[in-house]
Amino acid sequence: MRASAFGGGFTWGVATAAYQIEGAWDEDGKGPSIWDTFTHRRRTIKDRSSGDVACDFYHRYADDVALTADLGFNAKRFSISWPRVMPAGTGAVNQRGLDFYDRVVDECLARGVDPWVTLYHWDLPQALQDRGGWTNRDVLGWFGEYVSVMAAALGDRVKHWMVFNEPLSFTSIGQLLGLHAPGKRNPFGFLASVHHVNLCQAVGAGVLRDLVPGGDIGTSQYLSPVVATGTTPIHHKAERSADAFVNRMFIEPNLGLGYPVDAFPFLRFMERYEHDGDDKAIVVDWDFLGVQYYTRLKAPPLPIPYFGTAPMFGHDWKRFELTSFGWEIRPDGLYDVLQRAHGYGRFPRLVVTENGASFNDVLAGDRVHDRRRIGFYEDHLAAVLRAKNDGIPVDGYFAWSLLDNFEWAEGYRTRFGLVYVDYATQRRIVKDSGHWFRELLSR
Ligand code: FCB
């Protein structure tokens, strides 16, 4: 594989998220987020850990940005912690929090690494959760205020923006399954959150349009081919509703296509949360869609559809290789989701804003021989190239992730990095996959 085959203007990046790497959870005036509250509760995280310290990126950002450049990447995607810059979610701005992101951006630019900013990667200010969080329609105003602060602070230097990271994940796992912050299990709170997040996509994109001239505005969605587990009409119905839930519920409203109620009838209750004019206010003209791809999902029929993780995220473990997360490795699925997103005819460009794999990495001296991760990246990049050669306008790829990090409810045992983190010392050790990227990108 040659990087030049992707073309000169291609963006090669690594992706990270604030809560998963920053640490410094209560430093320099930061307010608590729902993830601070959630991890500090007993028995929420498999290894009983938290992101209190994580990779200590808050203090080590300069070295980590240098490492990103050293591996040959020309972009870094990272998220802003809302409560770090607005401790109460609205009102007072914490200058020391803003200063941190200023330094990160300047460090990136000094190293020739283009900063790509995600505004919301799951760490809502706890103060807003106390007022209902995403279930409260007032979040439209709160979010608009926050986005204005960030656009004004960074918009002179940051051109690439993603309004959200994976609305599907934080609404369904956080509000329906209760396995992520804020740990709720409420189908109606979930529906309200879905609608408010979709409206906030438009609020955020609108603010960015106004305040960042020439801004490149998108959002990042989890996409995955969904397949039936059998051939009967019941199996096909299950497949259709799971597909609407995973792939359509967060994309189509913003394109003015409404909710896929026919395929997923539970969405008819969305009417409770829709106000007059929402159908217009929700529409967004995206510059790009951020595609996040990890695996393929299966949809077995259930009496109450899709309110449990195991069946929906059930995988074909007999036939395909799995990551240590238990996710099927299916590079062809990446081609499929790119093709499908392009099929809407509404996204001028596609960017793979996350793709990666967890394996049980072992530190052997100064090396981590993660051969399978290299294979994963080779195969998925080949799928991207095939899409590109078939005329699908995909012009960037971000590996998840630069560093091993706090993997939400899984804690630290699940490692996704191109760089190994020894959490006891915070030492970074470039894995063989990191060396492989450096080799690929230097040629
Ligand atoms: C994605 C998340 C990211 C990380 C990877 C493994 O769904 O956006 O934060 O957890 O999965």
Side-chain angles (χ1 to χ4, degrees):
M1 168 159 310
R2 283 166 47 244
S4 59
F6 291 77
F10 199 80
T11 296
W12 292 95
V14 286
T16 60
Y19 187 73
Q20 295 180 276
I21 60 167
E22 285 180 2
W25 77 279
D26 64 349
E27 238 174 281
D28 291 342
K30 176 181 168 294
S33 81
I34 55 173
W35 272 93
D36 295 315
T37 309
F38 189 70
T39 55
H40 295 169
R41 249 162 62 193
R42 274 151 45 96
R43 284 194 278 277
T44 51
I45 308 301
K46 280 193 189 156
D47 62 4
R48 296 170 187 232
S49 63
S50 75
D52 287 3
V53 178
C55 305
D56 195 29
F57 179 78
Y58 189 75
H59 300 108
R60 294 165 195 268
Y61 69 91
D63 289 347
D64 290 337
V65 171
L67 189 54
T68 305
D70 182 55
L71 294 181
F73 292 99
N74 61 23
K76 184 181 189 312
R77 171 175 180 255
F78 60 93
S79 76
I80 308 291
S81 159
W82 182 349
R84 196 180 288 293
V85 297
M86 297 174 85
T90 60
V93 171
N94 175 32
Q95 190 56 46
R96 284 176 297 172
L98 274 185
D99 290 347
F100 168 64
Y101 294 109
D102 254 329
R103 293 195 295 275
V104 173
V105 166
D106 288 342
E107 198 64 38
C108 283
L109 294 172
R111 298 272 178 188
V113 172
D114 212 356
W116 287 56
V117 167
T118 309
L119 285 160
Y120 187 81
H121 200 129
W122 308 357
D123 43 356
L124 188 76
Q126 180 60 42
L128 297 183
Q129 183 60 41
D130 296 342
R131 296 157 76 183
W134 293 107
T135 68
N136 183 343
R137 196 175 163 107
D138 290 347
V139 74
L140 273 65
W142 307 334
F143 190 67
E145 188 187 336
Y146 160 61
V147 178
S148 308
V149 168
M150 292 320 304
L154 304 181
D156 57 334
R157 287 153 293 154
V158 173
K159 291 301 160 201
H160 308 282
W161 297 83
M162 287 133 293
V163 180
F164 280 98
N165 180 75
E166 293 189 6
L168 173 73
S169 309
F170 74 87
T171 56
S172 65
I173 309 177
Q175 311 272 358
L176 198 52
L177 305 175
L179 299 172
H180 279 185
K184 307 277 188 217
R185 290 199 186 94
N186 178 346
F188 290 96
F190 164 74
L191 277 188
S193 301
V194 169
H195 189 53
H196 298 150
V197 168
N198 283 335
L199 286 165
C200 279
Q201 296 271 25
V203 169
V207 170
L208 291 167
R209 276 277 175 255
D210 288 347
L211 298 184
V212 186
D216 183 32
I217 301 165
T219 200
S220 291
Q221 300 283 7
Y222 182 98
L223 293 177
S224 182
V226 172
V227 289
T229 54
T231 53
T232 70
I234 291 172
H235 287 97
H236 286 302
K237 208 171 151 204
E239 177 191 63
R240 233 166 79 81
S241 47
D243 176 61
F245 186 94
V246 173
N247 295 310
R248 301 176 58 194
M249 183 170 63
F250 289 100
I251 297 229
E252 298 188 359
N254 292 141
L255 300 182
L257 302 172
Y259 287 100
V261 182
D262 287 352
F264 188 53
F266 180 62
L267 288 173
R268 70 178 182 278
F269 294 113
M270 194 62 99
E271 275 184 0
R272 294 186 186 191
Y273 308 103
E274 289 171 313
H275 292 196
D276 282 352
D278 279 5
D279 54 334
K280 297 210 171 50
I282 210 165
V283 177
V284 186
D285 251 333
W286 297 115
D287 294 321
F288 71 93
L289 177 70
V291 172
Q292 316 227 134
Y293 176 75
Y294 286 93
T295 190
R296 185 181 81 141
L297 303 174
K298 301 188 93 182
L302 291 172
I304 305 170
Y306 316 119
F307 293 162
T309 33
M312 177 148 147
F313 296 100
H315 302 281
D316 204 348
W317 52 271
K318 284 196 209 89
R319 292 188 7 234
F320 295 97
E321 217 194 321
L322 301 184
T323 69
S324 69
F325 225 134
W327 295 348
E328 267 184 12
I329 301 178
R330 296 298 301 266
D332 50 330
L334 177 52
Y335 180 92
D336 295 345
V337 296
L338 288 169
Q339 186 182 48
R340 183 166 176 195
H342 180 53
Y344 282 107
R346 296 284 296 280
F347 300 109
R349 288 158 40 237
L350 304 176
V351 177
V352 177
T353 46
E354 282 184 25
N355 177 228
S358 65
F359 293 107
N360 295 320
D361 299 317
V362 181
L363 182 60
D366 266 349
R367 296 302 290 261
V368 176
H369 299 300
D370 57 341
R371 203 176 37 79
R372 295 181 65 204
R373 188 174 285 105
I374 295 175
F376 179 97
Y377 280 117
E378 276 181 325
D379 295 345
H380 285 75
L381 283 168
V384 173
L385 189 55
R386 182 156 71 88
K388 209 172 151 57
N389 291 338
D390 286 352
I392 298 170
V394 46
D395 67 358
Y397 178 93
F398 289 78
W400 181 272
S401 182
L402 174 66
L403 305 169
D404 293 336
N405 59 57
F406 177 77
E407 179 47 41
W408 311 112
E410 299 294 314
Y412 292 97
R413 279 186 293 205
T414 308
R415 291 179 179 269
F416 273 93
L418 301 177
V419 176
Y420 185 93
V421 176
D422 174 12
Y423 294 108
T425 61
Q426 291 293 351
R427 196 159 70 97
R428 275 62 166 148
I429 299 113
V430 178
K431 299 180 193 176
D432 286 359
S433 56
H435 292 295
W436 180 83
F437 264 106
R438 174 159 37 201
E439 184 69 16
L440 173 78
L441 299 176
S442 69
R443 275 186 275 130

